[in-house]
Amino acid sequence: MTASDWLHEQFEPTGSSIGFRVTRKLDEVQSPFQKIEVWESTDWGNVMLIDGAMMVTTRDNFLYHEMMAHPALFTHPDPKRVVIIGGGDCGTLREVLRHPGVEKAVQCDIDEQVTRMAEKYFPELCESNADPRAQILFDDGIAHMRNAEPASLDVVIVDSTDPVGPAEGLFNQAFFESCHRALRDDGILVQQSESPLALLDLMREMRAEMARAGFDSFQTLPFPQPCYPTGWWSCTMARKGGRGFGFREADARAKAFATKYYSAEVHLGAQALPPFVAQALGG
Amino acid sequence: MTASDWLHEQFEPTGSSIGFRVTRKLDEVQSPFQKIEVWESTDWGNVMLIDGAMMVTTRDNFLYHEMMAHPALFTHPDPKRVVIIGGGDCGTLREVLRHPGVEKAVQCDIDEQVTRMAEKYFPELCESNADPRAQILFDDGIAHMRNAEPASLDVVIVDSTDPVGPAEGLFNQAFFESCHRALRDDGILVQQSESPLALLDLMREMRAEMARAGFDSFQTLPFPQPCYPTGWWSCTMARKGGRGFGFREADARAKAFATKYYSAEVHLGAQALPPFVAQALGG
């Protein structure tokens, strides 16, 4: 490494890469599950990679974390109990806890080392970890959902890596059935759903698995995310009970906390899927 | 090069890079103005670079070209005469000519070689070049606008490279004054306005130069664009005469041509600037 070098993630499935100019590697740990690295960059703050894939940068993580939390929580009529599967960097947990109506938020990531690295290099993402409503578990998310009490949850957020390695089991029918059972009747499952430009097949397949597990309505919201392949990403909500996605727009407009990307207007705007995405998902 | 290698653009101002997996270089020409390369990629079709900067890929150019053309043309009440400055790949021209009300569209790019390469490697972008309403000039866009008849145009689209090299003069007050003079009273200037995440200073500066040239209302619309730095890009419209940006929504909904990204709903959605962008531009 020279004093200023470039770190790339070359993502084979999309044939595209994302990179940042970095100054040095701050840390690296091989956990029982994956290799976690943190680099210092010139323009993006710290950058965390898991098995070579960009996960979070200081500068752009707000896009992803806000969109994984607020659309689902402002769609559910009264979210009180939330579970986050994955999400070990704690950024989604922080956003969930901004909602005063949330009584309990459980974060269950299999890899404690992700959270330890986040505490050290992304402390702002961990600032709500001591909230009395938060419970942070280091456990298998698949087993956690399999063992969850039926009809006990309002929102399940799957904040996982891509469907390879430890996260593979978070994208199939069996896992979604566990989520469906654990959700109350008006519950919402939300999952990161890859690039709407380059990974539409994966998004379609994920929706099909959710449908086989009993979910009957879906809504995909795209958003920008520079550190992920193609720079354009999405979350997909699935609703238990066919209630659709009536958005609590007035509550979102009146929210008492600040956001950088999310707003009621951005939420509404994201519902307008570009024709090529709508066509691919409708077909 | 091996049979499959990676081509990166490392963009110094944002400290981020974009890359594609490529199989071979198809062509390279050094024009009097710049170096133009075309590569064959594994997943993105052909990729054109100018002086090492990604310009167009077969797969993702529709995002940019549709957003450079349709929002402006569906905002102007009755666009008949359009000038495109730059745009040598002819993709914006093609989108402009989809509007049946357009009587004349002049494309003025300084570099004929860009168009010659587009004809060869992106023929689909050039499919409207023989339209009798099209006029393709290879000339200095700054001089073209300086010499344009006052109050003769409805829409000016500045489809340029970044404000370095030959395009530098397309981002300053003098050029915008020429555009302002050439536009009719309800005319619209639209310019590609860089990344809303990483290049907000540039966007602010561009708006300030437009304001000094007499434009008094602005609207920035973000959109995804994987081949540009950060994967998130924008266009900015400036209106002559302070008429605001009343959108011909009914006409956009009833449009008789197909688009892949643009729709009336996407147009409305793009008007919802994320809070951090709105704050940066309002300040």
Side-chain angles (χ1 to χ4, degrees), chain A residues 249-264:
Chain A
E249 185 181 335
D251 292 345
R253 286 188 195 279
K255 69 186 171 54
F257 55 88
T259 43
K260 289 175 71 183
Y261 181 74
Y262 180 85
S263 70

Side-chain angles (χ1 to χ4, degrees), chain B:
Chain B
M1 296 283 299
T2 60
S4 172
D5 214 325
W6 291 81
L7 178 72
H8 296 109
E9 176 192 356
Q10 295 170 337
F11 192 62
E12 299 292 336
T14 61
S16 64
S17 82
I18 297 286
F20 296 107
R21 187 173 47 208
V22 291
T23 36
R24 62 191 173 117
K25 188 188 282 193
L26 294 172
D27 213 337
E28 177 179 324
V29 61
Q30 176 67 52
S31 81
F33 306 100
Q34 50 208 356
K35 187 175 82 169
I36 309 162
E37 295 163 79
V38 179
W39 292 73
E40 179 186 76
S41 76
T42 56
D43 292 77
W44 297 79
N46 293 338
V47 182
M48 183 191 284
L49 292 89
I50 292 185
D51 289 339
M54 306 281 182
M55 285 293 120
V56 171
T57 84
T58 304
R59 185 173 181 179
D60 79 354
N61 77 79
F62 69 94
L63 299 158
Y64 176 86
H65 288 136
E66 291 183 8
M67 289 302 284
M68 288 299 286
H70 304 309
L73 270 72
F74 279 124
T75 296
H76 190 284
D78 186 20
K80 289 190 168 70
R81 296 180 73 91
V82 179
V83 165
I84 300 158
I85 300 297
D89 60 42
C90 307
T92 298
L93 178 66
R94 181 182 66 166
E95 296 306 315
V96 166
L97 291 168
R98 295 196 196 281
H99 292 254
V102 169
E103 294 172 358
K104 187 168 185 189
V106 176
Q107 173 187 302
C108 181
D109 195 299
I110 201 166
D111 194 344
E112 180 171 354
Q113 289 309 315
V114 174
T115 302
R116 297 296 162 242
M117 292 286 247
E119 287 167 341
K120 202 163 169 188
Y121 300 106
F122 302 87
E124 69 282 8
L125 299 183
C126 300
E127 65 187 24
S128 300
N129 288 8
D131 188 304
R133 300 171 295 160
Q135 184 179 12
I136 297 179
L137 305 176
F138 302 109
D139 210 342
D140 175 10
I142 299 169
H144 184 81
M145 290 312 299
R146 200 191 303 126
N147 300 329
E149 192 185 333
S152 63
L153 301 174
D154 298 311
V155 176
V156 174
I157 302 175
V158 189
D159 177 0
S160 73
T161 50
D162 289 337
V164 287
E168 196 177 351
L170 300 177
F171 285 79
N172 64 32
Q173 181 179 348
F175 173 70
F176 294 142
E177 279 170 352
S178 297
C179 295
H180 193 269
R181 192 173 50 245
L183 284 167
R184 293 188 179 125
D185 258 1
D186 47 6
I188 293 176
L189 169 68
V190 56
Q191 179 142 358
Q192 71 90 356
S193 49
E194 311 281 322
S195 168
L197 184 62
L199 296 165
L200 272 167
D201 287 348
L202 207 153
M203 195 188 291
R204 249 197 314 259
E205 177 58 24
M206 198 189 82
R207 278 183 175 216
E209 293 284 307
M210 286 173 171
R212 283 191 278 273
F215 291 97
D216 43 20
S217 51
F218 306 96
Q219 186 177 64
T220 295
L221 304 177
F223 54 87
Q225 187 56 55
C227 77
Y228 291 168
T230 79
W232 198 28
W233 216 245
S234 66
C235 63
T236 293
M237 291 191 277
R239 192 80 190 250
K240 181 172 181 174
R243 279 168 186 75
F245 294 92
F247 163 42
R248 291 191 291 118
E249 186 181 334
D251 292 344
R253 286 189 196 279
K255 70 185 170 53
F257 55 89
T259 43
K260 288 175 72 181
Y261 181 74
Y262 180 85
S263 70
E265 294 80 4
V266 164
H267 186 150
L268 289 168
Q271 292 179 347
L273 282 187
F276 84 100
V277 179
Q279 194 177 2
L281 293 178

Side-chain angles (χ1 to χ4, degrees), chain A residues 138-273:
Chain A
F138 301 110
D139 210 343
D140 175 9
I142 298 169
H144 183 82
M145 290 312 299
R146 199 191 302 124
N147 301 328
E149 193 186 334
S152 63
L153 302 174
D154 297 312
V155 175
V156 175
I157 302 176
V158 189
D159 177 0
S160 74
T161 50
D162 289 336
V164 287
E168 196 177 350
L170 300 177
F171 285 78
N172 64 32
Q173 182 179 348
F175 173 70
F176 294 141
E177 279 170 350
S178 297
C179 295
H180 193 269
R181 192 173 52 245
L183 284 168
R184 292 186 179 129
D185 257 2
D186 47 7
I188 293 176
L189 168 68
V190 56
Q191 179 141 359
Q192 70 89 356
S193 48
E194 312 281 324
S195 168
L197 184 62
L199 296 165
L200 273 167
D201 286 350
L202 208 152
M203 193 188 292
R204 249 195 316 255
E205 177 58 24
M206 198 190 80
R207 279 183 173 215
E209 294 284 308
M210 287 173 168
R212 283 191 277 273
F215 291 98
D216 43 19
S217 50
F218 306 96
Q219 187 177 63
T220 295
L221 304 178
F223 54 88
Q225 188 55 56
C227 76
Y228 291 168
T230 77
W232 198 30
W233 215 245
S234 67
C235 63
T236 293
M237 293 192 276
R239 193 79 191 252
K240 181 173 181 175
R243 279 169 186 73
F245 294 91
F247 162 42
R248 290 190 291 116
E249 185 181 335
D251 292 345
R253 286 188 195 279
K255 69 186 171 54
F257 55 88
T259 43
K260 289 175 71 183
Y261 181 74
Y262 180 85
S263 70
E265 293 80 5
V266 165
H267 186 149
L268 288 168
Q271 292 179 347
L273 283 188

Side-chain angles (χ1 to χ4, degrees), chain A residues 126-148:
Chain A
C126 299
E127 66 188 23
S128 301
N129 289 7
D131 188 306
R133 301 171 295 160
Q135 184 180 12
I136 297 180
L137 305 175
F138 301 110
D139 210 343
D140 175 9
I142 298 169
H144 183 82
M145 290 312 299
R146 199 191 302 124
N147 301 328

Side-chain angles (χ1 to χ4, degrees), chain A residues 78-155:
Chain A
D78 186 20
K80 288 189 169 71
R81 296 181 73 92
V82 179
V83 164
I84 300 159
I85 300 297
D89 61 42
C90 306
T92 298
L93 178 66
R94 181 183 68 166
E95 295 305 315
V96 166
L97 291 168
R98 295 196 196 281
H99 293 253
V102 168
E103 294 171 357
K104 187 169 185 189
V106 176
Q107 174 188 301
C108 180
D109 195 299
I110 202 165
D111 195 344
E112 180 170 354
Q113 289 309 314
V114 175
T115 301
R116 297 296 161 244
M117 293 286 248
E119 286 167 343
K120 203 164 168 187
Y121 299 106
F122 302 87
E124 69 283 7
L125 298 184
C126 299
E127 66 188 23
S128 301
N129 289 7
D131 188 306
R133 301 171 295 160
Q135 184 180 12
I136 297 180
L137 305 175
F138 301 110
D139 210 343
D140 175 9
I142 298 169
H144 183 82
M145 290 312 299
R146 199 191 302 124
N147 301 328
E149 193 186 334
S152 63
L153 302 174
D154 297 312
V155 175

